[in-house]
Amino acid sequence: MFKISVDKQLCIGCGACAAQCDNFEMTTDDNPKAKAKESEVEEVGCNQEAADICPVQAIVIKKL
Ligand code: F3S
């Protein structure tokens, strides 16, 4: 299992993660941030690509 989280302090809302991986969605308020739809996943899958592509390294993947 892996825990997927987004550091909201770091996230600048660029949306790259959501474009890369369907486990991420953007909040819809006027200061959009990414959030993981599933915060605990069996396989890292595209979450890793999303973390790699994030320009501010806001996505944290932890092995549980
Ligand atoms: Fe935020 Fe990084 Fe995604 S800045 S919107 S977590 S690619």
Side-chain angles (χ1 to χ4, degrees):
M1 292 284 282
F2 296 87
K3 184 167 165 48
I4 314 294
S5 56
V6 176
D7 185 330
K8 289 195 168 51
Q9 310 281 55
L10 291 177
C11 175
I12 55 171
C14 76
C17 54
Q20 182 72 29
C21 179
D22 65 7
N23 191 35
F24 292 89
E25 60 187 3
M26 305 303 296
T27 59
T28 52
D29 49 46
D30 55 7
N31 184 21
K33 308 278 180 183
K35 68 171 196 192
K37 295 180 192 169
E38 302 276 347
S39 57
E40 291 186 1
V41 295
E42 210 62 57
E43 301 290 338
V44 178
C46 66
N47 293 286
Q48 185 62 58
E49 286 142 43
D52 292 345
I53 212 175
C54 176
V56 293
Q57 283 87 51
I59 298 173
V60 180
I61 300 177
K62 238 175 97 178
K63 197 170 190 328
L64 298 177

